[in-house]
């Protein structure tokens, strides 16, 4: 099989076929993800919390993201590798360009992900016009947790929901190739996924998005502390990492994960 590209994900969306994504931070897990049919390996800045033991993603540096992206890229032959731009590495379009260039040239990322709505339009446009594939991220924005005051479901009232839909359309219009929606009501995720022609990947956003992503350590049950309610421990169901990954991919493709108990209304 050849490497997953933006065109592959668009075709899956058009065909109504769901795809699975997972975070990855090193070559060994990336290889297992790749072999299990995960379409997208996301080098998330969640590594600050699950690998480094920080209490947020804010301390993660660009050099650390480049290092982990390079490891993941070595383990993936098929999965598309997307890397997070860490906190304050994209505060201006020019800084975003320099940071994205390093993630792609030194880390081997095929796409970069950034958090934020309308305020990021100019940056997304600048990146897209210069050939940088961009994944936008709306809903719960972990890099802004100190400003917003916690990890909570977003877009619950109608004003916030309309604003998120408008932001999603603005991101697509600016040239984003993918969108991640984190921790939002499933009805809103469904509306946004239907309104956009780019693929939408949900985490804690119900089963109606085009793809699903989870933090690898959450779905293997090895995250310290409480697992988010929208995740599931596939390792305890199956007994091996390889089988857990395959079960996740199969359930996402079949539309049986996430179930109602992993979704918000
Ligand atoms: O950093 C990360 O792992 C992410 C996912 C939660 C989507 O951005």
């Amino acid at each position: 099989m050849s490497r997953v590209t933006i065109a592959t994900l668009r075709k899956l969306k058009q065909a109504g076929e769901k795809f699975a994504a997972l975070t990855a931070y090193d070559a060994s897990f990336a290889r297992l993800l790749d072999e299990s049919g995960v379409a997208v390996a996301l080098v998330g800045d969640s590594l600050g919390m699950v690998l480094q033991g920080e209490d947020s993603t804010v301390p993660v540096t660009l050099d650390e993201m480049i290092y982990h992206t390079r490891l993941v890229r070595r383990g993936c032959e098929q999965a598309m590798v997307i890397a997070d731009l860490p906190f304050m590495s994209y505060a201006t379009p020019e800084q975003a360009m320099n940071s994205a260039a390093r993630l792609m040239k030194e880390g081997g990322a095929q796409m970069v992900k950034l958090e934020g709505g309308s305020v990021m339009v100019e940056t997304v446009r600048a990146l897209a016009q210069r050939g940088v594939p961009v994944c936008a991220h709306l809903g719960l924005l972990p890099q802004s947790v100190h400003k917003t005051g916690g990890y909570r479901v977003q877009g619950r009232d109608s004003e916030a929901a309309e604003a998120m839909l408008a932001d999603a359309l603005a991101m697509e219009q600016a040239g984003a190739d993918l969108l991640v929606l984190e921790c939002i009501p499933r009805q809103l995720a469904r509306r946004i996924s239907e309104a956009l022609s780019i693929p939408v990947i949900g985490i804690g956003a119900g089963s109606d998005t085009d793809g699903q992503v989870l933090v690898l350590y959450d779905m293997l049950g090895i995250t310290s502390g409480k697992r988010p309610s929208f995740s599931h421990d596939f390792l305890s169901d199956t007994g091996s990492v390889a089988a857990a990954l395959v079960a996740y991919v199969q359930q996402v493709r079949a539309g049986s994960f996430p179930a109602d108990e992993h979704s918000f209304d």
Side-chain angles (χ1 to χ4, degrees):
M1 240 185 83
S2 51
R3 193 176 280 281
V4 173
T5 64
I6 296 168
T8 320
L9 300 179
R10 275 188 178 261
K11 272 193 206 136
L12 290 172
K13 175 172 180 126
Q14 281 156 10
E17 288 177 36
K18 296 190 184 296
F19 59 89
L22 273 178
T23 65
Y25 315 107
D26 67 47
S28 300
F29 275 117
R31 185 176 44 76
L32 289 171
L33 253 67
D34 205 54
E35 289 169 358
S36 67
V38 169
V40 174
L42 169 65
V43 189
D45 59 0
S46 51
L47 68 84
M49 298 170 85
V50 298
L51 289 190
Q52 299 174 337
E54 301 283 0
D55 64 3
S56 80
T57 60
V58 170
V60 177
T61 67
L62 183 60
D63 284 336
E64 288 165 349
M65 289 306 302
I66 292 167
Y67 170 74
H68 286 282
T69 304
R70 203 165 53 231
L71 305 189
V72 170
R73 184 61 201 254
R74 283 188 201 135
C76 288
E77 285 183 10
Q78 289 161 18
M80 172 188 270
V81 176
I82 303 181
D84 267 343
L85 283 162
F87 182 61
M88 283 299 152
S89 69
Y90 55 101
T92 64
E94 193 185 20
Q95 193 195 13
M97 221 96 73
N98 290 332
S99 302
R102 289 197 62 203
L103 278 172
M104 294 178 78
K105 286 160 81 108
E106 298 172 43
Q110 290 169 267
M111 185 179 289
V112 298
K113 179 164 83 56
L114 48 80
E115 297 182 10
S118 50
V119 71
M120 295 312 304
V121 163
E122 198 194 331
T123 299
V124 171
R125 186 172 295 117
L127 290 168
Q129 282 174 347
R130 284 161 184 81
V132 178
V134 179
C135 176
H137 182 151
L138 297 174
L140 173 58
L141 306 180
Q143 291 175 10
S144 304
V145 71
H146 296 314
K147 181 81 179 160
T148 53
Y151 298 94
R152 288 194 203 91
V153 180
Q154 302 293 307
R156 273 202 153 134
D157 63 76
S158 64
E159 202 182 317
E162 294 311 316
M164 205 182 299
L165 175 60
D167 279 353
L169 290 165
M171 288 289 132
E172 176 170 89
Q173 190 70 35
D177 303 284
L178 275 183
L179 173 66
V180 165
L181 292 175
E182 179 164 357
C183 267
I184 68 168
R186 59 178 144 188
Q187 300 85 347
L188 176 58
R190 180 185 192 147
R191 244 180 106 196
I192 294 175
S193 305
E194 286 174 357
L196 264 50
S197 50
I198 59 172
V200 176
I201 303 177
I203 173 164
S207 60
D208 295 319
T209 53
D210 307 301
Q212 295 292 330
V213 63
L214 286 178
V215 170
L216 176 69
Y217 285 27
D218 289 345
M219 61 81 76
L220 294 178
I222 54 175
T223 304
S224 63
K226 196 169 162 277
R227 192 183 59 243
S229 64
F230 55 74
S231 193
H232 177 76
D233 181 353
F234 288 82
L235 182 56
S236 69
D237 287 352
T238 54
S240 83
V241 172
L245 297 174
V246 169
Y248 169 67
V249 170
Q250 285 173 346
Q251 290 181 34
V252 168
R253 285 187 185 155
S256 52
F257 181 84
D260 288 353
E261 76 227 50
H262 310 114
S263 308
F264 305 107
D265 288 316

